[in-house]
Amino acid sequence: MRSPDAPSPERLAPLAEAGRVATICAVCNYCNGFCEAMRAIEQRGQSPRPSIADNGAGKTGVAPAFSDGDIAYIAHLCHNCGNCLTSCQYAPPHVFAVDAPKALADVRALSWRERPWLALAIFVAVMVLTVALVPWGMLTARHAGEGAFYAVIPWATMTAATLAPFLFGIALVGIRVTRFWRAISGGDDAPMAGSAWRAIPLAIRDAATLRNLEGGGIPCEQSAARRFFHHALAYGFLLCFAATCTATVYHHGFGWLAPYPLLSLPVILGTVGGVGMVIGAAGLAGVRTGGGAAFDTTGDFILLTQLFAVAASGLALLALRDTPAMGVLLAVHLGTVLGFFATLPFGRFAHAPYRAAALLKAAMERRR
Amino acid sequence: MTGANPEQVLVIGGGLAALAAAISARRAGARVTMLEAAPRELRGGNTRHSRNLRIAHDGPTARIPGIYREEEYLADLAKASDGRNDAHLSQRFVHASTDLPDWLAAQGVVFQTRGIPYSRKTAFFLGGGTAAVNALYATAERVGVRILYDAQADGVDLETGAAGPFRPRATVLACGGAQAAMQAASPRLINRGTPYALGEILRAALAQGAQAVGDADAAHLVAVDARSPSADGGIVTRVDGMEYGMAVDARGARFTDETAVTGPTRYATWGRLIAALPEQRATLVLDADGIDRAPLSVFPPLEAPTLADLAARIGADAATLEASAREAGRVTRPPFFAFPIRPGITFTCQGLRVDETARVIRGDGSPCANIFAAGMIMAPNILGTGYVAGGGMTVGAVFGRIAGEEAACHALA
Ligand SMILES: Cc1cc2nc3c(=O)[nH]c(=O)nc-3n(C[C@H](O)[C@H](O)[C@H](O)COP(=O)(O)OP(=O)(O)OC[C@H]3O[C@@H](n4cnc5c(N)ncnc54)[C@H](O)[C@@H]3O)c2cc1C
Ligand code: HEM
Ligand code: HEM
Ligand code: SF4
Ligand code: SF4
């Protein structure tokens, strides 16, 4: 997290507050059985640390127990199950006012740079461009048979338009997650190199099951619901991704052009995935509004809305692909997809790689 | 739930003892009202700051490893209390501890089995005492205990069991110790636990002729940071790591060999030593190497480049502090660091004598018909003025259960 330029005051405040809370938790340690975040806090609180900070002009001052990298790591490990807050002897109104989930969520928020208007702008632009460039008759006609979609928007245009923001987004997120990984590894990679491989299955299990939402044995109803809906959303997303990959193979490998029959692999994968996403996104939004989180969740809702829109428009397109509405729906669907891709680096979708990295690091620590 | 007061059993208190009493009285069929002096957010007394309980067991169980037999537990109690515990009651207590984890688990309490230090004598609450308190309040609500918050009882009638507007058939006194009262009387001490432990019920019972056990002036004391809040600082304010530096009094002189005080009882030993100093305060001084070895603290250390500067910061005499450092030999490399220390009260050691039904005993040895006591308010029957780790929680839960069952039995008879 430490960049050469000094962190701005807005960044320092959440880091300092999370550092204060983590220090109290490390000394208290009552919650160490709940999750990886608390285990990591415990570990850093106990391991011998160089307390004396080197300020250049000679050694002075006590360095904080947690570096900014430690704090970022712990923040992305916290799954916000809420157990440590409800179990905290220092929760507000206690003067220590310990609220670990909020402090850590505020640090996570430093990793997102939300630009919801960018997604919206692209959505509108795709719509406008489609309507402007595709002759009206073409757009509202009923298309059928192989290549029907490409009659509305040519294949090359579709591919170029989606690939560009997708690759750009992946690259930006990749750079930031790489920087995050370096910061949380704090230069002590060497002794861990061997353990990384053995840790990968553990990390995959933790990511795939969201084990850290189990609360270490005190699962609350809300966490159970959030886990279920997140699984529906995330696995639905993966199925949609698989559908797109299969379709690409069909297109290039076999020269079969979409639309594919209802019982073809891409459509089945996409339909199941899309339904999962719609249920998951709606469910997560419901659980969130149904109480719980006391902090700003706007970014979560933006991501939920985007994913819901992508999946719902895709399903609508499938349902109505043989009607004159297809042209417009295709534009709508592509608009949501492009908007989503373009905002990959500016939204919370990046939590997936950030969290995967943090879980891998945690698994490596456990393996050591 | 409200309106005409329906309770047959009144439980005064809101920690583990009160919860165990209320739940077991309710499960035995009585209508129960529980009075918790604290607001809902701060409910649970000192229980919310605790973590483990001491359990006898003949072999490893799912929740606790190794073996800790009842005889060994009894021997530990006799030693800790200097033989001043009630031997018969202690026997019953130790035996009753054996099925406590199962009972608590059945009331929703979750135990931690991984990531805790090896301890064959104690079982740990997952998430600590506050998590256990939350689980027990949820169970109490579910089984139909009426729970009133911000409901401090300021007295109890030992003849009838009446307290304020309440006219129950039986009353359980489970309102903890008198830490807050002791702290108010000697402000140099810090109360580590709940500010609601005012001891008014204890005083009321003693004034009406209940028999006292323990010692009014004794308390379990621990060395805590002098910057701790005056109450409710809990577990994180303890000062530790004296063996890596030196502990000095207000002048800057050492008063004991720091390396001789080790092991799990070191916190209490330091608490006692510092309470015995004339000013009842001390300072832990560490050098640049010592600060690396000492455990993490939630309070930042005071810092100075020389011992003389540090002496000025902590109000000690520079020459004395320097002489102490030479003598200790561990405080040599600048910069130097200091943590101010005061004694912190964990609990007070005066209580009410009870019999094996948890009935409060009068000065003449006769039991009160319908007044029961559980938890810290009667713990000196078992602990004397000493302590065994995890013993406080177990006294609360064991006698809470007994008192609740006996009170229900009396009320329903
Ligand atoms: C920091 C700390 C850590 C500890 N750790 C451990 C540990 O790990 N293991 C262990 O065994 N013990 C531990 N103890 C001791 C343990 O907390 C006590 O032994 C235990 O809480 C006693 O339980 P209790 O129910 O009798 O009292 P408490 O838990 O103190 O509860 C007393 C309750 O009564 C209420 N009350 C008080 N007066 C009135 C009134 N007049 N009217 C109505 N309500 C009233 C209070 O609000 C409170 O809810 C610790 C203590 C402290 C301070
Ligand atoms: C490495 C894999 C992933 C992990 C470990 C993970 C973990 C999490 C966690 C812990 C939260 C809760 C955060 C909080 O409450 O602050 C969350 C929220 C969310 N995740 Fe994931 N996630 C992963 C992948 C995905 C994928 C693939 C998607 C969707 C396509 C997704 C969509 C979302 C959304 C929309 C939210 C916000 C919803 C809400 O809680 O209100 N996640 N994720
Ligand atoms: C690469 C960019 C994408 C393109 C070009 C694209 C294109 C299409 C097309 C043409 C259809 C109609 C298929 C049919 O009717 O047979 C469709 C459907 C669908 N799309 Fe997309 N899409 C893209 C990305 C996505 C993404 C990222 C998601 C969600 C994560 C998604 C979810 C869906 C769903 C759920 C359907 C309906 C089910 C189906 O027909 O398979 N799409 N998409
Ligand atoms: S959240 Fe509270 S109870 Fe839990 S470890 Fe931190 S300070 Fe302790
Ligand atoms: S909110 Fe849950 S996951 Fe986050 S630190 Fe607390 S216990 Fe761990």
Side-chain angles (χ1 to χ4, degrees):
Chain A
M1 286 298 277
R2 243 195 234 294
S3 50
D5 44 335
S8 65
E10 307 88 77
R11 294 180 70 78
L12 277 177
L15 287 170
E17 170 61 2
R20 182 188 76 88
V21 165
T23 304
I24 296 177
C25 291
V27 176
C28 167
N29 212 24
Y30 280 16
C31 294
N32 73 334
F34 279 149
C35 63
E36 285 300 312
M38 284 292 170
R39 187 202 51 73
I41 286 178
E42 171 188 28
Q43 194 202 10
R44 277 157 185 73
Q46 283 178 351
S47 56
R49 75 224 125 79
S51 301
I52 313 285
D54 201 336
N55 69 355
K59 293 188 158 194
T60 177
V62 176
F66 297 87
S67 70
D68 290 353
D70 289 335
I71 292 295
Y73 164 57
I74 292 160
H76 284 285
L77 272 182
C78 167
H79 283 40
N80 187 22
C81 75
N83 265 0
C84 62
L85 176 62
T86 46
S87 307
C88 185
Q89 55 191 310
Y90 303 116
H94 192 283
V95 287
F96 289 173
V98 171
D99 185 341
K102 171 158 177 19
L104 296 175
D106 289 346
V107 170
R108 281 200 298 283
L110 300 177
S111 306
W112 331 130
R113 297 156 203 195
E114 271 132 13
R115 302 269 192 284
W117 48 262
L118 182 59
L120 194 65
I122 288 174
F123 175 71
V124 173
V126 171
M127 228 62 57
V128 170
L129 278 177
T130 314
V131 174
L133 295 181
V134 182
W136 187 246
M138 214 35 173
L139 188 66
T140 55
R142 181 192 302 255
H143 299 271
E146 274 207 357
F149 298 134
Y150 312 125
V152 180
I153 300 177
W155 180 85
T157 314
M158 212 189 271
T159 311
T162 47
L163 223 50
F166 180 72
L167 294 179
F168 175 73
I170 296 281
L172 257 163
V173 171
I175 291 170
R176 282 172 38 204
V177 172
T178 310
R179 246 196 275 146
F180 170 68
W181 178 258
R182 289 220 194 93
I184 70 179
S185 304
D188 58 3
D189 271 345
M192 285 209 254
S195 66
W197 294 111
R198 279 174 297 138
I200 286 174
L202 287 181
I204 290 177
R205 187 200 60 183
D206 287 352
T209 61
L210 298 186
R211 180 177 62 86
N212 286 278
L213 268 182
E214 284 169 17
I218 309 186
C220 75
E221 267 166 51
Q222 227 204 16
S223 285
R226 282 176 59 206
R227 238 173 128 198
F228 173 83
F229 288 126
H230 190 284
H231 285 338
L233 178 62
Y235 288 112
F237 183 85
L238 290 181
L239 287 178
C240 288
F241 193 74
T244 310
C245 293
T246 341
T248 308
V249 172
Y250 278 20
H251 190 110
H252 294 281
F254 304 107
W256 303 336
L257 295 191
Y260 301 111
L262 288 184
L263 287 180
S264 66
L265 201 50
V267 176
I268 293 174
L269 290 174
T271 310
V272 174
V275 170
M277 284 181 69
V278 166
I279 293 174
L284 279 174
V287 179
R288 267 292 159 87
T289 42
F295 41 87
D296 184 22
T297 52
T298 322
D300 292 323
F301 281 112
I302 293 169
L303 179 58
L304 284 170
T305 311
Q306 281 189 301
L307 291 169
F308 185 90
V310 169
S313 60
L315 289 175
L317 176 58
L318 169 67
L320 302 177
R321 67 181 181 181
D322 296 328
T323 73
M326 184 271 267
V328 173
L329 283 173
L330 183 61
V332 169
H333 181 57
L334 284 185
T336 59
V337 169
L338 294 192
F340 171 63
F341 284 169
T343 46
L344 274 184
F346 308 111
R348 274 180 211 203
F349 190 76
H351 78 287
Y354 271 97
R355 287 183 177 283
L359 287 171
L360 177 60
K361 162 96 172 154
M364 284 159 65
E365 281 176 2
R366 272 179 289 153
R367 275 266 144 197
R368 241 199 307 201
Chain B
M1 291 288 280
T2 51
N5 195 353
E7 72 277 337
Q8 295 160 318
V9 172
L10 180 71
V11 178
I12 301 178
L16 180 59
L19 286 159
I23 290 171
S24 48
R26 181 73 195 119
R27 287 204 189 277
R31 292 194 300 274
V32 181
T33 293
M34 208 176 117
L35 306 181
E36 161 61 300
R40 192 181 188 287
E41 311 80 67
L42 295 171
R43 67 186 181 182
N46 280 5
T47 305
R48 55 201 293 277
H49 293 297
S50 309
R51 191 171 191 187
N52 61 357
L53 12 74
R54 183 172 290 236
I55 302 296
H57 54 115
D58 283 337
T61 75
R63 304 193 184 91
I64 180 164
I67 299 178
Y68 185 45
R69 294 197 202 283
E70 294 180 32
E71 307 83 75
E72 189 183 355
Y73 199 154
L74 277 170
D76 285 347
L77 286 176
K79 189 167 157 227
S81 66
D82 269 335
R84 283 187 291 170
N85 59 332
D86 178 331
H88 176 68
L89 205 59
S90 297
Q91 225 161 359
R92 172 133 197 227
F93 161 76
V94 165
H95 183 67
S97 77
T98 54
D99 79 334
L100 198 55
D102 284 342
W103 186 79
L104 287 168
Q107 315 312 317
V109 172
V110 181
F111 289 90
Q112 184 174 355
T113 50
R114 278 177 301 172
I116 38 176
Y118 176 84
S119 159
R120 70 186 172 90
K121 299 184 178 180
T122 58
F124 286 73
F125 297 134
L126 177 64
T130 307
V133 161
N134 290 341
L136 292 171
Y137 271 98
T139 300
E141 272 167 23
R142 206 183 55 244
V143 299
V145 172
R146 181 166 74 133
I147 299 165
L148 304 180
Y149 295 106
D150 298 298
Q152 185 194 357
D154 44 19
V156 61
D157 185 334
L158 278 201
E159 294 309 316
T160 64
F166 303 96
R167 299 283 177 276
R169 292 192 199 156
T171 298
V172 180
L173 315 181
C175 44
Q179 301 79 240
M182 180 178 274
Q183 198 260 338
S186 25
R188 285 164 167 180
L189 305 181
I190 284 165
N191 174 9
R192 301 176 66 209
T194 178
Y196 297 92
L198 288 164
E200 62 279 69
I201 299 295
L202 173 68
R203 283 192 302 280
L206 293 176
Q208 292 169 69
Q211 198 181 124
V213 283
D215 180 344
D217 297 323
H220 183 270
L221 297 170
V222 158
V224 300
D225 196 292
R227 296 162 289 181
S228 309
S230 68
D232 250 348
I235 199 76
V236 300
T237 60
R238 294 188 300 194
V239 179
D240 194 14
M242 280 73 153
E243 70 267 36
Y244 304 121
M246 61 179 182
V248 297
D249 63 13
R251 268 189 320 120
R254 293 169 70 223
F255 49 89
T256 194
D257 174 9
E258 295 87 353
T259 57
V261 187
T262 52
T265 56
R266 65 189 181 283
Y267 298 105
T269 307
W270 282 110
R272 223 176 313 114
L273 287 170
I274 293 165
L277 295 173
E279 298 85 359
Q280 297 195 305
R281 68 180 174 91
T283 307
L284 165 62
V285 179
L286 296 161
D287 74 356
D289 296 319
I291 192 90
D292 273 353
R293 295 209 197 105
L296 188 60
S297 163
V298 298
F299 295 101
L302 308 173
E303 189 198 332
T306 67
L307 280 171
D309 291 336
L310 194 69
R313 288 205 67 178
I314 63 175
D317 174 57
T320 313
L321 192 68
E322 280 163 354
S324 297
R326 276 193 300 278
E327 185 187 79
R330 288 179 295 277
V331 184
T332 53
R333 201 163 73 82
F336 300 99
F337 301 93
F339 292 92
I341 318 177
R342 290 236 177 240
I345 315 165
T346 316
F347 53 81
T348 49
C349 297
Q350 189 188 32
L352 303 174
R353 185 171 296 287
V354 299
D355 67 11
E356 64 170 47
T357 64
R359 278 185 169 79
V360 172
I361 305 290
R362 294 199 188 81
D364 62 8
S366 65
C368 297
N370 65 343
I371 312 286
F372 303 81
M376 223 20 145
I377 195 171
M378 48 65 65
N381 288 279
I382 304 297
L383 299 169
T385 54
Y387 189 57
V388 294
M393 287 284 93
T394 308
V395 169
V398 163
F399 286 98
R401 279 179 78 185
I402 296 174
E405 275 159 24
E406 295 285 346
C409 187
H410 177 87
L412 297 172

